[in-house]
Structure formats: C-alpha cells, structure tokens
Amino acid sequence: MTAYKTGSFLRCGAAILPLTGLAVPAVEAREREADVAPYIEIQQILVADLKDGSDVLTYTSVAAGVDTSLQTRGAEAQVNVRYERRFFYEDNLGDEDIITGLARGSVQVVPNLLALEAGAFAARSRVDLRGEAPSNTVGNIDNVTQVYSVYAGPSLSTRAGALDVNAGYRIGYTKVEDETAGVLPAGQVPVDIFDDSVSHSANASVAMQPGDLPFGWSVGAGWQREDGSQLDQRFEGKQVRADVTVPVSQTLAAVGGIGYEDIEISERDAVRDTDGVPIIGDDGRLVTDTSSPRLLSYDQDGIYWDVGVLWRPSRRTSLEARVGQRYGSETYHGNFAYQPNQNTALNISVYDTVSGFGNLLNDNLSSLGTSFTSTRNPLSGELNGCAFGPTSSLCFNDVLQSAASSSFRARGINGQLTYNHGGWNTGLGVGYARRRYFASQLGSVSAIDGLIDQNYYANLTIGRDLDRYSSFDANVYANLLDSGFANAPNVLGVGANAAYYRQILPRLQGTAAVGLDSYQQDGFDSELTASALLGLRYDF
C-alpha cells in the first residue's frame, strides 16, 4: 500500500509498483554511520543602507551549533541547529538571541513494524504580507517574528496475509513569538497574529495490492485537530475513504477514490470596549473573550472524490496526478519524482488542503525525509528557504509567508531540483502558494474572511570545494507577495550572497562573506542593503 499525502489528511491508495514487473530494490543493510559535528563561531558583521549612506550598523555575533547525521539499522536522523547571540553597539538596539534549526528523525521501536517519528523546526517568519520584506533580518526590523514547531508520534506498518496494514498518530506544538507588522500601507489595519497551538493527527488504512485481484484497493480513515490559543480557534476534520487502482499496462494504472469528510473550524469573539471595538493586548494580539459562544467560520461535510493516473516507467521515475471535487469546488493534486542517477533528483508536488498554521507546518515537516541538506545564509546565519534530500525535498516558503491566526485553504505547487556532480552542489526550489482565509462574519476578524493572499518564490544555492582547504557557496532568492487586501500594493523582495571558507588550522576555519538585499513596495521607500562578514569557526 502506498500512502499519498494530500493536505491535512492521509489518503490511501493501492500501490502501483507490482504493476511494473520490476522487483523492489533490495534495501541494503545499513552499517552504523554517525556524524556529530558541534561548533562555535564568532563573527563581525557590517550592514550598510545603500539608500542612505550614513546608516551603517556593525555588530558582533557569537554562535554555537551542531550538525548531526545518523544512519543505522534501527535509527535515522538529521539535525541542523544553531543558537546565536548578537551584540549591537548602537544605543537604540538591544542584544538579541536567535535559534534556528531543522531536525527529522525515525527510530525503529519494533523492526519492520513500529517506528517513532519526530521533527522540529525553528526559523523566522513574516508577520503580514503587506509589511516590509527584509531578507537580512538584522537590527531594528519590523514584520519578522520567531516560529518554533515540533511533533512526534508512532507509525505502524505491517502485513496480514495479502493485506497491508498502516496506522499512525502525531502530536505537534507550534509557537509564534510576540511581534508586530510595523508600518503598513495607508488605510490598512493589522491582522490578528497566530500565538500557539496543539495539533493531533491520526490515520489507519488497510490495502491489497493488485495481483490476487485484477485491481488494487484500500480503505482508510483519518482525524485531525488543532486547538489554537488565539481567539480559542479550533480546527477539526474527520474522513473515511476508499481507493482502487486498475492496471492499464505494466507501467500505467488508472486510480480513483471516494470518501466522506466533515471539517469544522470555529473561533470565539474578542473582548470589546464600550464602543464595540475589539481590544488589542500588550502582545499585539486581540484579547480573547472566553465567555463568547463559539462562532462557526467554516463547515464542510459531504462526499468528495478524485480520479487520475499513476505512472512508473522505471524505478527512478514516478508520477501521480488527480483531479476531483473537494472543499466545495474542483481540486487538483499530485506529485512527480525523477532521480536518473545518484547525483540528480527532481521533485514536484501540487497540493490542495484546508488547514491551520500549526497543522500545515507539521505536515510540511513530517513529509521531509530523514536525510537532507539545509543551507544557511552566511551573513545572518538563518536557514535558507529549502532543504534538499535524495528522495524528498521541501521548501517552507508557503507556510512562512505570513503568521495570520485564521485557518485557510492552501493551494499551490512546489518544485525542488538537486544536482551534485564534479564537486558542485546545487539546489533550486521554486513555488507558488495561495491561501483563502476563513473567519466568522460575526467575530472580530471578519475582514479576513474570504481574503486570498499569494506568494511566488525561488531559492537557488550553489556550492563547491575549491581544494582541500577552501570552498565557497552562493545563494540567490526572490519573493513576490500579494496580500489580497484592497489598496495594498505587492511586495517584491530579492537578495544574493556569497561566502568563501578557508581552513586555517585543523578544525579552525575562516569565513568571508558579502551580500545584497532589497525589497520594493509601492508607496514606500525601496530598501537596498549591503552586508559584509568576517568570522572564525571552530569544529570540535
């Protein structure tokens, strides 16, 4: 049985692999392979506003981190985490702490039966698509906040005769720190900001592959819930579903599925003053009226379906594409994976889901494999937008485009390409993300109901070892943001940086980096900043 991730629920479908006439590649027994690389860094950074030559900022950064890769017969993990303390010399700037990282792991509790999956993520996110779009998040910046997310849970996979049996559960927690959007276009009011949430996801399925019968089949059920503290928002979805796979040839199959689901999203009103105006607390968020009745913002139940094709001409190429009716309209989703050799991998996914901020972040994190490469901006030390792996890659741009508290329908497309050959390491991520928000017309955030925002993004990373002692890497990135609010102009953010690394002594490395960052928005002064860095890193 193959499980296909489609938005907030696990959709089950019978596997197509037996139709190809190809044997399943044998999984090589893994020898123990562990690489733990803790390090410390000290850096001196200069940031200059090229639109105003008098505005120059310098600061010192001290950081500690660890890069870990673990591959054994019973466990797999990849960890990239970094803590940074920035010391500013300006009287109007306080020192700040930043934690960024990405981690995924899996432990076989009972070999070939029960595993424990976990993941964690820490990064900075935009608050509001209408505000500033700084790429170099240094100094007195607005519209940027810190996001943390973690999840864990067991997964079961076994066979009972000719049946494939799968089940899983996940609990997650997501937190957004207190920040404001800063200056917005004239006439625009801030959106309510996500605070924190606890999410749950459970699924179970039974399937039979084609062979004993002229077709494959599966039946499954899923449940998901997210409880957010902001306005006491609640997302709950339940579904049951059946799928069939009908072989057309050795490499092609027709697929179809039908199910029933019930999704309900609700919130409470905010505390209001004597004039009926919602009250905003010290953290910049609306104050929840805990005595308010629940206000329904989304209620969708009924039959949904989709049909499509599965194509696997070889072990290195696979395609799934489906079209159907769901969430009250047409829906399209699928994925394409191509790995012609060990140096090249291409992954493209089209998605359509109804979710909340925490649920979507956990879904994205759980879809990333336990082997990946995540690069960092050499000037800010923060994670770049994508993580690249040999079998799965992921860009977080879609979920981090804004931190609005309301749930939404998310649709879009993501593509990631990795190419490693002749000493070059290259990764390209591009995508488009579209959200339509849900809010009660009787509540305090009714203005966001039906709002559609859009994000177009691209990230390119290139690296190469120059010799035994030196290397370089470069990053280019761009975002075009459309908030959907009337009279709110689009925001374009672009940037590029490059870094040179040189081993000075065993375990001691020097770094020199430069970068340019810019964003433009009608009605605001455009911004162009240049950055330079000199630093030392010691690996233990």
Side-chain angles (χ1 to χ4, degrees):
M1 194 280 295
T2 300
Y4 305 103
K5 207 56 174 146
T6 176
S8 298
F9 296 113
L10 187 69
R11 177 170 55 78
C12 306
I16 188 175
L17 185 59
L19 308 178
T20 65
L22 300 175
V24 179
V27 178
E28 298 180 1
R30 284 197 181 95
E31 299 297 330
R32 179 176 177 83
E33 183 178 326
D35 183 10
V36 181
Y39 62 88
I40 58 173
E41 293 178 332
I42 182 168
Q43 301 167 329
Q44 189 68 27
I45 300 97
L46 179 146
V47 181
D49 185 352
L50 299 185
K51 293 288 185 177
D52 181 1
S54 63
D55 190 2
V56 178
L57 171 69
T58 61
Y59 68 97
T60 300
S61 167
V62 177
V66 62
D67 294 326
T68 300
S69 176
L70 175 66
Q71 300 287 329
T72 72
R73 295 179 180 179
E76 299 177 353
Q78 189 86 33
V79 178
N80 181 334
V81 64
R82 181 177 188 268
Y83 163 76
E84 178 183 4
R85 176 74 172 179
R86 293 176 178 176
F87 300 92
F88 293 99
Y89 307 127
E90 306 289 333
D91 293 337
N92 61 333
L93 292 177
D95 298 340
E96 61 180 352
D97 301 289
I98 300 172
I99 299 175
T100 54
L102 180 61
R104 275 283 283 116
S106 176
V107 177
Q108 292 290 323
V109 180
V110 180
N112 301 316
L113 177 64
L114 182 65
L116 179 63
E117 302 275 345
F121 179 72
R124 294 184 126 184
S125 169
R126 290 173 53 79
V127 175
D128 193 313
L129 264 69
R130 298 165 295 171
E132 296 182 10
S135 300
N136 196 342
T137 54
V138 174
N140 272 333
I141 54 173
D142 291 323
N143 205 33
V144 173
T145 186
Q146 185 74 37
V147 177
Y148 304 97
S149 188
V150 62
Y151 84 90
S155 63
L156 180 145
S157 181
T158 187
R159 291 183 63 86
L163 300 179
D164 295 315
V165 180
N166 290 268
Y169 168 75
R170 182 183 75 208
I171 182 170
Y173 176 76
T174 301
K175 170 65 180 176
V176 173
E177 290 187 346
D178 303 342
E179 297 291 346
T180 62
V183 179
L184 295 175
Q188 303 290 318
V189 296
V191 298
D192 200 28
I193 305 169
F194 182 94
D195 188 357
D196 66 348
S197 73
V198 175
S199 58
H200 305 266
S201 179
N203 61 80
S205 65
V206 178
M208 178 182 289
Q209 298 176 347
D212 294 340
L213 298 174
F215 60 90
W217 61 267
S218 70
V219 292
W223 169 76
Q224 214 173 46
R225 175 162 172 157
E226 180 176 6
D227 290 284
S229 61
Q230 186 57 18
L231 296 182
D232 196 14
Q233 296 204 38
R234 179 184 300 165
F235 171 100
E236 186 165 27
K238 295 164 282 188
Q239 74 152 351
V240 293
R241 180 183 173 98
D243 280 84
V244 294
T245 300
V246 181
V248 176
S249 69
Q250 285 190 325
T251 61
L252 183 68
V255 294
I258 188 170
Y260 174 84
E261 68 181 346
D262 183 1
I263 302 176
E264 185 175 295
I265 305 172
S266 62
E267 65 195 58
R268 298 191 191 276
D269 198 4
V271 176
R272 298 175 182 265
D273 61 20
T274 55
D275 295 323
V277 178
I279 295 176
I280 298 177
D282 294 337
D283 61 357
R285 298 180 174 93
L286 293 172
V287 179
T288 305
D289 182 358
T290 56
S291 64
S292 162
R294 287 217 155 265
L295 306 174
L296 198 63
S297 55
Y298 183 84
D299 188 10
Q300 180 75 39
D301 68 281
I303 302 295
Y304 71 98
W305 59 269
D306 54 59
V307 294
V309 295
L310 288 173
W311 179 56
R312 180 166 288 174
S314 72
R315 297 174 182 176
R316 300 186 178 277
T317 305
S318 64
L319 170 70
E320 174 196 12
R322 300 207 181 202
V323 60
Q325 288 280 332
R326 194 175 186 184
Y327 309 130
S329 67
E330 294 80 11
T331 183
Y332 308 90
H333 51 86
N335 57 73
F336 174 72
Y338 178 56
Q339 190 176 3
N341 51 60
Q342 63 181 359
N343 301 317
T344 307
L346 173 65
N347 293 278
I348 301 174
S349 62
V350 178
Y351 60 90
D352 186 358
T353 180
V354 170
S355 183
F357 183 83
N359 264 340
L360 185 61
L361 186 50
N362 282 171
D363 281 343
N364 283 6
L365 184 58
S366 66
S367 68
L368 181 65
T370 55
S371 177
F372 59 85
T373 300
S374 55
T375 60
R376 292 181 177 273
N377 184 315
L379 295 155
S380 68
E382 298 176 20
L383 291 170
N384 290 320
C386 300
F388 300 97
T391 58
S392 64
S393 298
L394 179 65
C395 292
F396 287 94
N397 305 67
D398 58 342
V399 69
L400 298 180
Q401 67 190 54
S402 70
S405 63
S406 298
S407 296
F408 46 81
R409 180 178 180 180
R411 291 193 274 185
I413 180 170
N414 287 313
Q416 299 91 30
L417 172 66
T418 59
Y419 178 73
N420 305 308
H421 183 67
W424 291 93
N425 299 297
T426 305
L428 173 65
V430 296
Y432 163 74
R434 177 185 188 272
R435 293 182 184 177
R436 181 181 184 275
Y437 290 92
F438 306 118
S440 171
Q441 286 295 316
L442 303 177
S444 53
V445 291
S446 58
I448 204 172
D449 185 44
L451 183 76
I452 295 174
D453 67 25
Q454 301 176 88
N455 181 15
Y456 305 81
Y457 53 88
N459 297 273
L460 172 65
T461 65
I462 300 174
R464 180 179 172 85
D465 291 333
L466 300 176
D467 53 41
R468 291 180 56 190
Y469 303 103
S470 61
S471 63
F472 89 96
D473 62 41
N475 303 280
V476 181
Y477 38 90
N479 280 271
L480 177 62
L481 308 164
D482 178 2
S483 70
F485 280 93
N487 303 317
N490 295 346
V491 183
L492 174 64
V494 296
N497 57 63
Y500 173 76
Y501 308 95
R502 179 75 180 183
Q503 183 177 334
I504 302 172
L505 296 170
R507 299 183 180 273
L508 181 63
Q509 174 184 274
T511 303
V514 293
L516 283 174
D517 293 276
S518 172
Y519 76 87
Q520 297 180 349
Q521 184 179 23
D522 292 343
F524 286 79
D525 292 335
S526 60
E527 182 175 289
L528 178 63
T529 60
S531 306
L533 173 148
L534 290 175
L536 292 172
R537 167 171 165 156
Y538 184 82
D539 292 280
F540 294 93

